[in-house]
């Protein structure tokens, strides 16, 4: 009997991935159409920082001057496993650096070198974990972000996005869901059981660091656009930063002319 009990405990230790779910708020700035969430960073009891949700960013970054108490913030040594596992990392001789691209800069040659840091993060009011790994950016890199937003929360499929750091820290199911509201407040779920959303109709594909869906056709007032099917083959990339949709030029032209014709007829 004793042996059996031990066996059960042993098995459940390995199956002990929790169904726990954490809920964070999402706010939309109606003027800029930017979506952000609020987490607490640092050792101060209450140090909220608003961060733009970006499913295209891996390592989160922010203006670290917005953190109320910097006493527990520390730099990451170049020789640490964390630094070595960050893609496009660099070293200033002692501390880990990261070549960060802004989600707003179309010109990808523009990027900055930021310091990789770690601190405590608190979500869902009283739930904390450390270390939360992110980078501190120079003031000039904040361009494109409107107050009260102080940085970008990385939610890419990569190795260092915020959602992956949370699910690893709490050993919960590695997934997240975001409900972006057309106005007002939305929800950001991390971990947990079902979200009550079926992915059967619109399967999500992960290609490199992009989340893609595969549209098969585009309809204007019930009539499909005549497009070369190869144009849709590479899929459509989802973005939480560029409002609405960016279309490949040929698709845009076909859609715009079909829409204009319909608008004139009606
Ligand atoms: C990108 O920006 C850099 C720096 O501002 C500039 O030198 C370069 O010409 C730009 N490249 C393109 C393709 O616009
Ligand atoms: C939304 O962004 C604008 C432009 O930066 C800013 O002036 C305004 O205060 C923001 N609104 C809220 C509710 O934060």
């Amino acid at each position: 009997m004793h042996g059996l009990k031990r066996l059960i405990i042993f098995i459940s230790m390995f199956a002990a991935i929790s169904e726990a779910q954490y809920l964070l708020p999402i706010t939309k700035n109606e003027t800029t159409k930017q979506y952000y969430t609020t987490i607490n960073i640092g050792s101060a009891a209450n140090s909220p920082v608003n961060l733009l949700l970006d499913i295209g960013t891996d390592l989160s970054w922010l203006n670290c001057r917005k953190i109320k108490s910097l006493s527990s913030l520390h730099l990451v040594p170049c020789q640490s496993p964390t630094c070595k596992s960050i893609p496009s990392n660099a070293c200033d001789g002692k501390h880990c650096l990261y070549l960060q691209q802004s989600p707003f800069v179309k010109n990808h040659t523009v990027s900055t070198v930021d310091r990789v840091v770690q601190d405590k993060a608190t979500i869902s009011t009283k739930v904390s974990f450390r270390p939360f790994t992110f980078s501190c950016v120079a003031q000039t890199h904040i361009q494109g972000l409107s107050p009260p937003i102080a940085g970008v929360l990385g939610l890419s499929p990569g190795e260092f996005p915020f959602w992956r750091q949370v699910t690893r820290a709490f050993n919960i199911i590695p997934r997240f869901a975001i409900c972006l509201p057309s106005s007002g407040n939305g929800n950001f779920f991390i971990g947990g059981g079902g979200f009550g959303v079926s992915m059967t109709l619109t399967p999500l594909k992960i290609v490199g660091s992009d989340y893609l869906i595969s549209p098969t056709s585009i309809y204007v007032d019930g009539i499909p656009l005549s497009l070369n099917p190869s144009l849709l083959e590479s899929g459509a990339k989802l973005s939480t930063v560029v409002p609405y949709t960016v279309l490949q030029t040929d698709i845009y032209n076909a859609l715009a002319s079909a829409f204009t014709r319909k608008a004139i007829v009606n």
Side-chain angles (χ1 to χ4, degrees):
M1 202 56 207
H2 203 209
L4 182 63
K5 261 188 207 150
R6 259 191 296 190
L7 183 67
I8 291 167
I9 292 163
F10 179 75
I11 290 168
S12 65
M13 263 170 56
F14 282 90
I17 190 150
S18 156
E19 293 250 327
Q21 185 172 68
Y22 298 103
L23 172 64
L24 286 84
I26 294 181
T27 309
K28 181 185 185 185
N29 182 314
E30 302 289 346
T31 314
T32 58
K33 314 258 187 277
Q34 291 178 346
Y35 292 100
Y36 58 93
T37 191
T38 309
I39 62 172
N40 287 272
I41 300 180
S43 46
N46 187 25
S47 182
V49 182
N50 297 312
L51 299 173
L52 183 82
L53 300 170
D54 183 21
I55 58 173
T57 289
D58 188 18
L59 192 69
S60 305
W61 56 266
L62 58 130
N63 174 1
C64 291
R65 288 179 194 169
K66 299 286 177 191
I67 299 173
K68 210 183 264 175
S69 164
L70 296 173
S71 63
S72 58
L73 188 86
H74 65 266
L75 297 165
V76 171
C78 301
Q79 295 312 318
S80 66
T82 302
C83 187
K84 288 180 177 162
S85 57
I86 292 176
S88 61
N89 74 72
C91 183
D92 69 0
K94 199 169 171 206
H95 296 118
C96 191
L97 303 174
Y98 181 62
L99 199 62
Q100 183 86 58
Q101 279 167 354
S102 165
F104 304 104
V105 179
K106 303 286 180 292
N107 175 346
H108 279 267
T109 58
V110 180
S111 50
T112 61
V113 176
D114 305 320
R115 286 176 183 279
V116 177
V117 295
Q118 292 181 321
D119 206 335
K120 181 172 96 164
T122 305
I123 58 172
S124 302
T125 47
K126 292 276 171 268
V127 181
S128 297
F129 72 97
R130 73 164 82 218
F132 170 41
T133 305
F134 56 101
S135 72
C136 290
V137 302
Q139 190 65 34
T140 51
H141 199 56
I142 307 289
Q143 280 169 2
L145 291 178
S146 316
I149 300 175
V152 171
L153 197 70
L155 299 177
S156 81
E159 278 306 300
F160 281 91
F162 176 72
W163 67 271
R164 213 186 277 287
Q165 295 194 43
V166 172
T167 61
R168 277 196 194 124
F170 296 112
N171 194 25
I172 59 177
I173 298 168
R175 66 174 165 201
F176 73 98
I178 45 180
C179 294
L180 301 178
S182 44
S183 64
N185 299 309
N187 291 318
F188 174 14
F189 301 94
I190 306 181
F195 296 120
V197 180
S198 166
M199 297 304 286
T200 324
L201 285 178
T202 312
L204 196 61
K205 283 196 296 188
I206 292 172
V207 177
S209 57
D210 293 334
Y211 297 101
L212 304 177
I213 53 171
S214 303
T216 49
S217 46
I218 301 174
Y219 289 79
V220 174
D221 200 21
I223 299 167
L225 297 185
S226 53
L227 291 172
N228 181 342
S230 68
L231 285 177
L232 294 174
E233 245 161 43
S234 52
K237 177 178 157 178
L238 300 180
S239 172
T240 49
V241 173
V242 179
Y244 316 122
T245 312
V246 179
L247 296 175
Q248 194 267 354
T249 311
D250 292 338
I251 299 177
Y252 176 83
N253 290 341
L255 179 64
S257 62
F259 196 85
T260 308
R261 273 199 305 277
K262 271 291 164 192
I264 292 167
V265 171
N266 293 335

